[in-house]
Amino acid sequence: MDMMKKVPVREQDPLVRAGNFEEVCLGYNKEEAEKEALRCLNCKNPKCVQGCPVNIDIPGFITKVKESDVKGAYDVISLSSSLPAICGRVCPQETQCEGKCVRGIKGEPVSIGKLERYVADTAREMGIKPQQAEKKNGHKVAVIGSGPAGLTCAGDLAKLGYDVTIFEALHKAGGVLVYGIPEFRLPKDAVVEKEIENVKHLGVKIETDCVVGKSATIDDLMKNEGFEAVFIGSGAGLPKFMGIPGEQAMGVFSANEYLTRSNLMKAFSDSSRTPIMKAKKAVIVGGGNVAMDAARTALRLGAETHIVYRRSEEELPARREEVHHAKEEGIIFNLLTNPVEIHADENGWVKGITCLRMELGEPDASGRRRPVEIPGSEFYIECDAVIMSLGTSPNPLISSTTKGLEANRRGCIVADEEKGQTSKEGVFAGGDAVTGAATVILAMGAGKAAARGIDEYLSAK
Amino acid sequence: MFKIIKKENLAPNIFLMDVEAPRIAKYALPGQFLIVRVDEEGERIPLTICDYDSEKGIVQIVFQVIGGDTYRMSHLEVGDSFADMVGPLGKPSDLTELPIEELKKMKICFIAGGVGTAPVYCQLKWLKNQGVDVDCIQGARTKDIIILEKEMSEVSNLHICTDDGSYGIAGNVCVALQKLWDEGQRFDRVIAIGPMIMMKFVCQLTKQLGVETIVSMNPIMVDGTGMCGACRLMVGGKVKFACVDGPEFDGHEVDFAQAMQRMKLYATEEGRLYLKAKEGDTHHGGCGNCAN
């Protein structure tokens, strides 16, 4: 065995998976996982743990994998994470744990994400559940939103004995894990639902169909429904559009709409009652994980799919694995390209998009080189759908209905990083509602920090 | 939860239901909407709230059968429940924020078309309770499909019109509004709720008359909470989301041509799904009825 290289993980053949919604990555089996675990050097000063936003004891759980002790490994992970089957699949490991792995200096880092997934999936198959709190402490906490931040915060508090209720606006719990990330990357029934069941197993209650800010206010929950603290994990907000001509044409969607139809409403399946446009040729504007998800969904629904991104490959914000998978599946990348106008036919349907070529200039505020238009470089891409994946701006529903809750000028809720405390007493916040659109694991990290903050706050009361 | 406690067939294919939904009833105000799912596989359907009783925890909806899921809804009976009902969504009518004294001085004319009558009723009733008198023009194609006439006449000075002249003023709502105007009635504000085409023509007329006009937009929606952007429309040259910025907008600023075009996005699929629901097992997609 070449100790410098990862044990390769089995995946569905790119040409086959481009036509289905089954999970792309098949994960390690016992033999492969234990072989990969042997590559861990069990460092005295493990850099990987520092790279993990929730500080999982990575060498600790990998040691248990080496010993074929899946339950032991699961217990180690559970001390830090309530959603390991999800994190193993969607974390950007290359910039976190694996990015810090000492093995990565000369060869490939240990495949920590795949090992975490192996442990979580195997534990689930074995029927292993997280440890419940020994004693309830009787304090009621409300958690707003059942995405990664909310589930983590709720899970951690329940483990400490709190009586936690999650309020979810949609009809189904899971937030972005359910409406945003596609089935082929994160199976809903097999993985997400099971992780949510684990959180419920800890004693957490979930009330769906409740939009806090509309169906109830935070003040109402605290004054009339007996909640002593509130965590806001309401997620990102309204999709951004470019403001270019033609954006109202039929066939222009936000990635959020396109993905919500496919993921939450299951529009990819013929038996769903929710329609989705099956494009012949789709252009996805943007280069993040959401753009990759939208592109790979359009591809699976039968479209020739193009990514249009204004910077170069190096700046693509998506996880490396997603870009790699997208390319393998046949998605065409039009890099250093920026749309300027969408054209519609006489019935109002999209027929094409005019773009400009870009080149990289001086670094901008984000530290990345600023894309600059090349004059006279217009060119036309024929297409029947354009999917805008440009990020989101915060949803004002909660900040506008909660007195004393401070938001910054971008509209994000202001909360301190260490404990999630907001400007309002007893109210904590974290995840995309605070940071703007980010990753699942950062939201989980914030949910975890806020759980500590809430525990300290209520213990001192 | 979401149990149906009253059902009435108001006109062919138009139904009224009272539903238990305490969270919605507690906070609902005129102008807001809710989203309903008929069953576990249901679409998320936005409906404007037509009445609410916050003490009893009941909301009232009125809907017209136009697609597969509204057809399924029409088959629910008293005692059955909806899978989901969430709200109140959107902003309340800005009338609810004006001082009562100011409202009493205003001359307001509502214009209700088709099932748009139900949300107008909600506003009329609220104003009546505040002691504000208003006019209301209620239009329909023909006499048989006029709904809630008695209720509407109890809370407003009601002027009914029918396109075919079978009842009330002969002509559409614009004809009726022009008639009132010609008779010397003057209004500070018109609030029109109904089919987009009706609201568009009302706005054209009120622009000529120089009367401020509010419309309630009902575009395609998915989540209804400001997440998906499906309900976007252009108002005064800016992108607005009907679910969080509306549903009520300044009618003279709305780009109706675009909004009406966007409504056709899934029209074919909706029709197909309706036929599939209606024909059930006998639907096989071969006859061509559902192709267009």
Side-chain angles (χ1 to χ4, degrees):
Chain A
M1 160 182 188
D2 183 355
M3 293 300 277
M4 303 306 273
K5 286 209 162 134
K6 289 179 175 180
V7 173
V9 69
R10 287 165 294 119
E11 290 175 347
Q12 261 201 84
D13 182 83
L15 294 177
V16 174
R17 72 182 192 236
N20 69 41
F21 277 82
E22 309 286 311
E23 194 172 12
V24 168
C25 176
L26 304 172
Y28 283 150
N29 60 25
K30 181 169 187 285
E31 187 196 350
E32 290 160 339
E34 289 177 7
K35 210 158 115 189
E36 179 66 16
L38 286 176
R39 297 184 61 233
C40 175
L41 300 169
N42 204 357
C43 304
K44 255 208 190 99
N45 177 16
K47 301 273 191 233
C48 52
V49 178
Q50 296 166 19
C52 172
V54 296
N55 305 115
I56 293 175
D57 175 6
I58 291 163
F61 94 77
I62 294 183
T63 302
K64 297 287 181 191
V65 175
K66 286 180 197 167
E67 296 164 359
S68 302
D69 179 5
V70 171
K71 181 170 188 317
Y74 183 77
D75 288 342
V76 171
I77 296 176
S78 292
L79 292 175
S80 314
S81 170
S82 306
L83 312 168
I86 293 168
C87 288
R89 287 171 166 84
V90 304
C91 268
Q93 287 97 4
E94 73 266 18
T95 57
Q96 298 176 357
C97 52
E98 294 182 24
K100 296 266 162 61
C101 177
V102 171
R103 277 264 180 220
I105 299 171
K106 284 190 180 149
E108 289 181 354
V110 176
S111 202
I112 300 168
K114 300 288 183 283
L115 287 173
E116 182 184 24
R117 169 185 164 152
Y118 162 76
V119 170
D121 287 2
T122 312
R124 185 177 66 238
E125 284 156 18
M126 292 165 64
I128 297 170
K129 293 269 173 195
Q131 285 276 317
Q132 285 169 322
E134 282 169 17
K135 225 171 68 198
K136 294 267 173 203
N137 66 21
H139 291 291
K140 276 177 82 177
V141 179
V143 168
I144 303 168
S146 62
L151 287 173
T152 302
C153 186
D156 278 15
L157 287 169
K159 283 182 198 163
L160 292 170
Y162 288 91
D163 177 3
V164 186
T165 304
I166 300 182
F167 295 92
E168 166 57 46
L170 291 172
H171 56 265
K172 208 167 169 48
V176 73
L177 307 170
V178 164
Y179 75 73
I181 302 176
E183 183 73 21
F184 54 82
R185 203 145 81 74
L186 186 63
K188 305 299 161 230
D189 294 347
V191 178
V192 179
E193 203 145 295
K194 296 294 186 312
E195 297 266 58
I196 292 172
E197 274 168 26
N198 280 345
V199 173
K200 283 191 191 163
H201 171 80
L202 293 170
V204 173
K205 289 168 271 208
I206 303 182
E207 181 178 337
T208 51
D209 296 324
C210 180
V211 186
V212 174
K214 288 289 178 188
S215 318
T217 61
I218 287 182
D219 289 320
D220 201 28
L221 293 175
M222 296 183 85
K223 277 192 200 119
N224 303 323
E225 298 195 28
F227 292 99
E228 296 165 69
V230 176
F231 173 71
I232 306 169
S234 52
L238 295 75
K240 287 184 188 159
F241 289 89
M242 292 189 77
I244 59 174
E247 256 180 337
Q248 291 290 314
M250 288 190 289
V252 183
F253 306 94
S254 75
N256 275 9
E257 176 186 355
Y258 196 71
L259 290 170
T260 301
R261 285 179 182 276
S262 183
N263 303 333
L264 176 71
M265 307 307 288
K266 311 270 181 232
F268 68 84
S269 146
D270 283 339
S271 63
S272 170
R273 296 184 206 147
T274 296
I276 190 164
M277 184 179 169
K278 294 189 174 72
K280 290 186 188 69
K281 191 165 166 182
V283 166
I284 286 79
V285 183
N289 287 320
V290 176
M292 299 303 138
D293 287 344
R296 296 170 71 197
T297 298
L299 179 94
R300 281 162 172 75
L301 291 171
E304 174 188 318
T305 307
H306 292 248
I307 293 264
V308 164
Y309 178 59
R310 64 198 181 117
R311 299 180 198 250
S312 73
E313 170 137 12
E314 207 175 303
E315 289 88 13
L316 280 170
R319 286 173 86 214
R320 284 287 152 256
E321 185 176 308
E322 307 310 323
V323 176
H324 170 70
H325 280 157
K327 283 186 176 169
E328 272 189 341
E329 289 164 10
I331 286 166
I332 302 153
F333 282 71
N334 301 79
L335 301 167
L336 289 166
T337 302
N338 203 30
V340 287
E341 184 173 1
I342 297 165
H343 308 274
D345 66 14
E346 64 281 5
N347 296 316
W349 290 90
V350 171
K351 64 173 183 182
I353 184 166
T354 300
C355 300
L356 270 176
R357 303 228 186 260
M358 313 291 279
E359 58 189 355
L360 292 181
E362 295 300 309
D364 63 13
S366 71
R368 298 177 299 179
R369 293 175 65 193
R370 183 196 305 272
V372 186
E373 291 175 1
I374 303 176
S377 65
E378 285 91 348
F379 68 105
Y380 183 77
I381 305 175
E382 203 181 291
C383 61
D384 58 347
V386 176
I387 301 170
M388 293 292 179
S389 178
L390 308 162
T392 56
S393 53
N395 192 323
L397 280 184
I398 290 179
S399 47
S400 68
T401 53
T402 310
K403 276 189 208 100
L405 185 68
E406 194 190 326
N408 65 19
R409 66 185 165 78
R410 289 191 301 141
C412 298
I413 295 166
V414 177
D416 89 85
E417 229 172 275
E418 221 170 290
K419 288 172 192 151
Q421 173 67 53
T422 67
S423 58
K424 190 175 169 78
E425 198 193 326
V427 179
F428 298 74
D432 285 3
V434 170
T435 55
T439 61
V440 167
I441 186 70
L442 283 174
M444 287 180 53
K448 207 164 190 55
R452 279 195 301 271
I454 290 171
D455 182 41
E456 272 176 34
Y457 167 73
L458 291 178
S459 305
K461 238 176 118 176
Chain B
M1 278 271 260
F2 316 127
K3 192 159 99 183
I4 298 164
I5 53 170
K6 179 173 145 188
K7 177 186 178 184
E8 270 178 51
N9 192 349
L10 298 178
N13 278 332
I14 299 179
F15 295 86
L16 173 149
M17 285 178 181
D18 281 355
V19 185
E20 280 175 2
R23 285 212 189 269
I24 307 177
K26 184 170 176 190
Y27 283 97
L29 281 169
Q32 291 187 294
F33 66 98
L34 53 78
I35 282 186
V36 62
R37 282 205 325 146
V38 65
D39 56 35
E40 275 309 319
E41 274 80 47
E43 278 238 69
R44 294 174 66 88
I45 298 176
L47 293 171
T48 315
I49 296 167
C50 125
D51 201 359
Y52 51 87
D53 184 328
S54 44
E55 289 193 356
K56 291 189 185 141
I58 289 162
V59 293
Q60 189 170 83
I61 54 172
V62 169
F63 63 92
Q64 186 166 15
V65 175
I66 46 162
D69 272 3
T70 43
Y71 178 76
R72 287 182 184 90
M73 280 166 63
S74 71
H75 282 76
L76 293 181
E77 300 298 339
V78 170
D80 293 340
S81 292
F82 286 100
D84 298 277
M85 193 174 252
V86 60
L89 300 168
K91 290 184 177 161
S93 159
D94 70 344
L95 295 178
T96 61
E97 284 159 20
L98 293 176
I100 301 302
E101 288 317 306
E102 200 170 313
L103 278 177
K104 283 185 176 166
K105 279 185 231 151
M106 279 172 84
K107 283 284 288 172
I108 304 172
C109 181
F110 281 85
I111 296 183
V115 277
T117 303
V120 167
Y121 173 71
C122 190
Q123 306 212 15
L124 295 175
K125 185 179 167 191
W126 185 88
L127 287 164
K128 180 81 179 177
N129 287 341
Q130 316 292 321
V132 181
D133 279 330
V134 295
D135 283 85
C136 179
I137 296 168
Q138 182 182 350
R141 264 184 297 112
T142 185
K143 184 172 189 259
D144 296 345
I145 53 173
I146 290 168
I147 57 170
L148 301 170
E149 182 186 354
K150 180 172 160 282
E151 290 83 353
M152 295 290 281
S153 63
E154 283 166 4
V155 290
S156 69
N157 311 314
L158 189 64
H159 314 271
I160 289 190
C161 62
T162 49
D163 293 2
D164 64 0
S166 52
Y167 192 50
I169 301 166
N172 64 25
V173 293
C174 291
V175 172
L177 178 61
Q178 185 72 56
K179 183 170 176 282
L180 296 181
W181 196 268
D182 292 343
E183 286 167 1
Q185 294 224 44
R186 290 295 174 266
F187 301 107
D188 306 310
R189 182 187 279 203
V190 164
I191 297 160
I193 307 180
M196 274 203 203
I197 184 87
M198 178 204 92
M199 296 192 285
K200 175 184 156 177
F201 283 114
V202 167
C203 288
Q204 280 176 5
L205 175 60
T206 55
K207 206 161 189 177
Q208 285 170 26
L209 301 175
V211 182
E212 180 191 15
T213 302
I214 302 296
V215 294
S216 177
M217 299 300 282
N218 49 353
I220 292 170
M221 278 186 192
V222 187
D223 69 296
T225 63
M227 186 267 284
C228 85
C231 66
R232 67 188 190 277
L233 69 165
M234 298 299 281
V235 182
K238 291 203 179 82
V239 176
K240 295 281 178 190
F241 297 98
C243 70
V244 287
D245 299 321
E248 298 197 350
F249 294 102
D250 178 345
H252 295 154
E253 297 285 332
V254 171
D255 186 335
F256 279 104
Q258 250 177 17
M260 285 163 64
Q261 195 172 54
R262 285 183 59 79
M263 289 296 279
K264 293 186 207 147
L265 199 51
Y266 299 106
T268 315
E269 289 222 39
E270 264 308 310
R272 200 158 43 79
L273 290 167
Y274 172 44
L275 287 174
K276 206 169 159 184
K278 197 171 169 185
E279 295 171 2
D281 292 341
T282 65
H283 178 85
H284 50 72
C287 73
N289 272 344
C290 65
N292 282 299

